[in-house]
């Protein structure tokens, strides 16, 4: 769904390719995390069986303009949305869940903390899928020319138009509309209130990276700290293993061993620095992915791999019976491959390039990878490079990430830098000036570094949740949730209740 993506791990990405290739009855849903993550590949996927009638929630369609900023262009397309009216009481608020960089998952129409709030407040629940993701296709393909119409500004205008028309059609024009989202959609929720205050009464902007930045080495620093919080030795062992592997990559006689150790699909070949960077990033991705979503409760979305936690990975890294740290690092890769049912690992940068360059809606990266990478190149950056010394990995520097903008979309490094500066100029970065926006953040979420970490004003409060990961407060409550997570959900509810009286 919409909420928290932002990472797009390549392991899950490979799984996507695999499943799509099988042409089964599975529908793939990326999960919503917002974050930004690594830019490629998919994060974890969920598989919901389509035809079982398991999701009662019907797909609905709304007509949008292709280009909201050109009055002379009247082309239109159909945007997907979902609605749950079960809790609505006349005069109640309207909750609008914002879709993000992946398909909108209808599982969110039946659970999640927002549903609990809706029940208590008599709210109508709507979820609008983001343009260019899921089934919301504004153009015939994903060519660079088509992707010109993909931007957060167009997406906000989609939301504004949807809110206006739905308000008119259903007599909800004067209702109090509340925008919600997590990760990138969390930023959209904040910006929707910021730019369209006449349409949005309040926003819940969970784990929202509101500051765009080209280089984002702090992400991996939080990964270090999150692993260290489990066990101080853990990130040290990861670093040792990663350093050993980097050493091996300098010596082609080790390539047969590396191929075997990590179950690569074909013999390792390192032609350029991009090849080694891609391999190192893919393996580091195992840790990045797990830290970002540690112990969240996404199973309800059908997400695979929810039981692989920081504790599990650090347990493998500490297991001396598996051999040296390098061998344990390989064991982590095997564990992830088993979890995602991958027989072998494809770390070929040229295959990755082939997949990301495919502009078909049926292409291997059309689930969101190609679109999100485009948004990072034209709006946000967020490149999780190894450029900081205070993190466990090495070998995928900023240059490797930015070069992909040129390779896949013909966008130069200068253009990327300029676009990011413009994003902050447009939205204000950390200096957001608005009211009635709450910013929940989790201490072990690597994205918190780009979020609002302190109350800006009483009207723009932050809610800090120690020990939780990306978007944790959005998931359905569980008995084993940390007390501070339950308190945060309650705190957000009280804020909403108070704001809806204003
Ligand atoms: C609305 O949510 C309720 C409670 O989770 C659920 O039982 C119902 O099926 C949902 N309706 C739709 C249309 O999703
Ligand atoms: C490959 O692995 C084997 C078994 O672990 C080891 O004996 C050998 O020295 C390794 N080869 C290289 C080139 O490192
Ligand atoms: C995670 O759950 C799967 C399926 O329930 C199980 O097969 C696997 O062993 C579990 N892994 C861990 C590390 O607990
Ligand atoms: C690249 O992808 C093809 C299939 O699409 C696969 O056969 C090949 O092994 C992959 N290359 C590498 C180096 O993994
Ligand atoms: C893009 O992907 C689709 C679906 O996998 C495939 O049929 C098509 O040949 C690919 N196009 C190119 C140019 O590789
Ligand atoms: C890439 O962009 C440059 C300048 O922005 C342009 O001159 C060039 O034609 C483009 N190349 C392709 C292949 O589109
Ligand atoms: C989140 O917000 C709280 C409250 O303002 C702040 O104290 C905390 O440092 C933030 N947490 C993180 C991890 O950024």
């Amino acid at each position: 769904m919409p909420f928290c993506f932002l990472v797009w791990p390549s392991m899950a990405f490979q799984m996507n390719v695999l499943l799509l290739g099988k042409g089964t009855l599975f529908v793939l849903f990326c999960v919503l995390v917002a974050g930004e993550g690594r830019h490629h590949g998919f994060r974890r996927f969920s598989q919901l069986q389509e035809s079982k009638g398991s999701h009662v929630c019907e797909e609905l369609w709304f007509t949008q303009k292709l280009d909201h900023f050109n009055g002379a262009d009247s082309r239109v397309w159909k945007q997907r949305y979902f609605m749950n009216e079960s809790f609505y009481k006349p005069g109640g608020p309207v909750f609008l869940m914002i879709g993000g960089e992946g398909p909108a998952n209808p599982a969110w129409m039946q659970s999640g903390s927002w549903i609990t709030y809706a029940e208590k407040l008599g709210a109508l629940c709507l979820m609008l899928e983001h343009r260019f993701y899921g089934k919301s296709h504004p153009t015939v393909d994903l060519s660079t020319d088509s992707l010109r119409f993909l931007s957060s500004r167009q997406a906000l205008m989609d939301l504004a138009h949807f809110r206006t028309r739905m308000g008119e059609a259903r007599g909800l024009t004067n209702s109090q509309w509340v925008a919600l989202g997590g990760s990138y959609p969390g930023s959209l929720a904040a910006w929707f209130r910021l730019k369209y205050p006449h349409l949005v009464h309040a926003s819940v902007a969970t784990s929202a990276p509101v500051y765009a930045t080209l280089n984002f080495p702090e992400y991996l620093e939080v990964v270090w700290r999150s692993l260290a919080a489990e066990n101080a030795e853990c990130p040290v062992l990861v670093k040792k293993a990663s350093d050993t592997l980097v050493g091996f990559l300098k010596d082609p006689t080790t390539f047969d061993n590396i191929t075997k150790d990590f179950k690569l699909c074909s013999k390792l070949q390192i032609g350029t620095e991009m090849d080694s960077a891609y391999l190192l990033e893919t393996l580091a991705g195992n840790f990045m992915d797990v830290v970002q979503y540690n112990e969240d409760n996404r199973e309800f979305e059908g997400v695979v791999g929810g039981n692989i936690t920081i504790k599990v990975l650090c347990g493998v890294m500490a297991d001396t019976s598996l051999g040296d740290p390098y061998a344990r690092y390989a064991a982590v890769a095997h564990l992830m491959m088993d979890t995602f049912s991958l027989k072998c690992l494809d770390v070929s940068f040229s295959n990755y390039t082939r997949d990301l360059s495919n502009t078909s809606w049926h292409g291997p990266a059309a689930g969101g990878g190609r679109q999100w990478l485009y948004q990072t190149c034209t709006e946000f950056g967020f490149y999780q490079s190894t450029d900081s010394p205070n993190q466990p990995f090495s070998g995928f520097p900023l240059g490797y990430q930015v070069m992909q903008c040129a390779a896949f979309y013909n966008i130069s490094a200068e253009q990327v830098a300029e676009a990011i500066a413009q994003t902050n100029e447009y939205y204000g970065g950390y200096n957001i000036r608005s009211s009635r926006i709450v910013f929940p953040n989790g201490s072990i979420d690597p994205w918190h570094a780009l979020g609002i970490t302190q109350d800006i004003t009483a009207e723009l409060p932050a809610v800090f949740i120690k020990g939780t990961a990306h978007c944790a407060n959005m998931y359905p409550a569980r008995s084993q949730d940390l007390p501070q997570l339950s308190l945060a959900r309650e705190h957000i509810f009280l804020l909403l209740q108070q704001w809806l009286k204003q």
Side-chain angles (χ1 to χ4, degrees):
M1 122 101 190
F3 307 144
C4 282
F5 249 143
L6 297 183
V7 175
W8 304 94
S10 47
M11 185 124 0
F13 170 69
Q14 293 184 24
M15 191 184 93
N16 181 31
V17 175
L18 248 125
L19 289 179
L20 284 177
K22 281 200 267 171
T24 60
L25 38 104
F26 287 123
V27 193
L28 299 182
F29 287 115
C30 299
V31 189
L32 334 174
V33 173
E36 326 307 305
R38 298 170 310 105
H39 31 272
H40 53 344
F42 275 104
R43 275 209 112 196
R44 304 188 200 161
F45 285 85
S46 51
Q47 308 156 17
L48 300 186
Q49 294 212 349
E50 202 175 28
S51 51
K52 281 266 187 76
S54 55
H55 49 86
V56 250
C57 204
E58 185 193 355
E59 286 182 344
L60 301 164
W61 302 91
F62 183 80
T63 304
Q64 285 284 9
K65 280 189 70 173
L66 174 63
D67 186 357
H68 292 292
F69 306 110
N70 179 359
D73 185 338
S74 51
R75 285 175 289 175
V76 294
W77 57 285
K78 297 271 192 224
Q79 184 165 24
R80 183 165 67 152
Y81 71 100
F82 297 97
M83 177 158 58
N84 191 338
E85 295 180 275
S86 328
F87 326 110
Y88 184 64
K89 298 211 182 71
V94 181
F95 284 2
L96 177 52
M97 180 61 82
I98 301 177
E101 66 281 27
N105 187 340
W108 286 92
M109 298 315 293
Q110 297 168 35
S111 60
S113 54
W114 76 307
I115 294 291
T116 311
Y117 302 155
E119 281 170 345
K120 293 185 187 160
L121 298 168
L124 176 72
C125 291
L126 291 165
M127 176 165 72
L128 184 65
E129 188 166 69
H130 195 292
R131 57 166 57 202
F132 284 94
Y133 297 95
K135 294 187 181 175
S136 297
H137 300 179
T139 52
V140 294
D141 64 16
L142 293 168
S143 64
T144 310
D145 201 42
S146 295
L147 290 173
R148 284 183 297 129
F149 301 104
L150 169 58
S151 70
S152 58
R153 292 173 216 198
Q154 294 278 8
L156 288 173
M157 196 57 219
D158 287 340
L159 287 160
H161 187 56
F162 179 78
R163 187 264 182 248
T164 304
R165 279 292 141 80
M166 290 297 286
E168 289 165 4
R170 308 187 64 94
L172 299 168
T173 299
N174 298 317
S175 301
Q176 290 172 318
W177 286 61
V178 176
L180 307 100
S183 198
Y184 163 54
S187 304
L188 291 174
W191 296 334
F192 192 22
R193 165 89 185 125
L194 173 72
K195 296 290 188 186
Y196 300 88
H198 55 297
L199 299 179
V200 189
H201 186 75
S203 289
V204 180
T206 296
S207 302
V210 296
Y211 178 70
T213 179
L214 179 64
N215 203 355
F216 184 24
E218 295 85 358
Y219 184 100
L220 292 175
E221 293 180 356
V222 181
V223 170
W224 176 290
R225 292 199 293 271
S226 302
L227 296 175
E230 172 62 34
N231 171 348
E233 267 296 286
C234 185
V236 179
L237 291 165
V238 172
K239 180 164 172 39
K240 262 189 198 151
S242 166
D243 289 347
T244 303
L245 176 60
V246 169
F248 285 164
L249 290 174
K250 297 194 177 108
D251 174 8
T253 65
T254 64
F255 289 7
D256 281 329
N257 276 3
I258 294 174
T259 302
K260 188 160 47 71
D261 296 339
F262 291 94
K263 297 191 186 168
L264 305 186
C265 297
S266 51
K267 187 182 170 229
L268 180 63
Q269 289 183 321
I270 301 289
T272 68
E273 294 203 342
M274 304 301 279
D275 294 327
S276 56
Y278 184 61
L279 165 70
L280 293 166
E281 189 193 29
T282 300
L283 295 174
N286 294 333
F287 289 85
M288 293 158 77
D289 207 21
V290 169
V291 168
Q292 181 165 321
Y293 297 104
N294 193 51
E295 293 187 30
D296 61 20
N297 178 17
R298 291 182 303 150
E299 270 87 8
F300 85 96
E301 286 189 284
V303 175
V304 177
N307 59 351
I308 310 294
T309 59
I310 293 175
K311 188 183 274 302
V312 170
L313 294 196
C314 287
V316 175
M317 289 310 297
D319 186 349
T320 52
S321 75
L322 295 168
D324 65 0
Y326 166 82
R328 301 173 215 165
Y329 197 61
V332 166
H334 297 169
L335 174 64
M336 297 302 279
M337 290 168 70
D338 290 346
T339 302
F340 290 106
S341 310
L342 277 183
K343 285 200 195 65
C344 65
L345 199 58
D346 182 351
V347 295
S348 149
F349 186 74
S350 71
N351 276 358
Y352 170 63
T353 299
R354 179 198 63 202
D355 291 347
L356 266 283
S357 304
N358 191 311
T359 61
S360 157
W361 278 114
H362 307 290
R370 177 166 168 81
Q371 298 94 305
W372 179 246
L373 183 55
Y374 179 83
Q375 287 199 265
T376 68
C377 295
T378 53
E379 298 192 82
F380 306 119
F382 294 148
Y383 299 118
Q384 296 147 28
S385 74
T386 47
D387 295 352
S388 161
N390 306 314
Q391 52 80 35
F393 308 102
S394 53
F396 44 105
L398 180 63
Y400 154 76
Q401 321 240 15
V402 175
M403 177 272 177
Q404 298 180 27
C405 298
F408 308 143
Y409 318 99
N410 191 28
I411 300 170
S412 72
E414 292 70 35
Q415 287 174 316
V416 178
E418 203 173 298
I420 291 164
Q422 210 183 59
T423 297
N424 289 326
E425 203 174 304
Y426 186 70
Y427 296 117
Y430 296 120
N431 292 318
I432 190 161
R433 285 293 171 268
S434 184
S435 63
R436 292 194 295 259
I437 305 175
V438 56
F439 295 95
N441 69 49
S443 67
I444 63 172
D445 174 9
W447 288 99
H448 83 236
L450 301 180
I452 300 296
T453 57
Q454 291 178 29
D455 293 3
I456 300 175
T457 62
E459 285 275 82
L460 292 175
V463 173
F464 175 50
I465 317 168
K466 194 158 183 294
T468 67
H470 205 52
C471 305
N473 54 288
M474 298 179 71
Y475 296 101
R478 287 184 300 187
S479 55
Q480 71 267 40
D481 284 341
L482 294 168
Q484 57 268 36
L485 177 54
S486 309
L487 281 172
R489 289 198 184 100
E490 182 63 17
H491 185 171
I492 295 161
F493 175 73
L494 293 173
L495 282 169
L496 281 178
Q497 205 176 31
Q498 183 190 325
W499 288 343
L500 290 171
K501 288 186 189 132
Q502 291 175 358

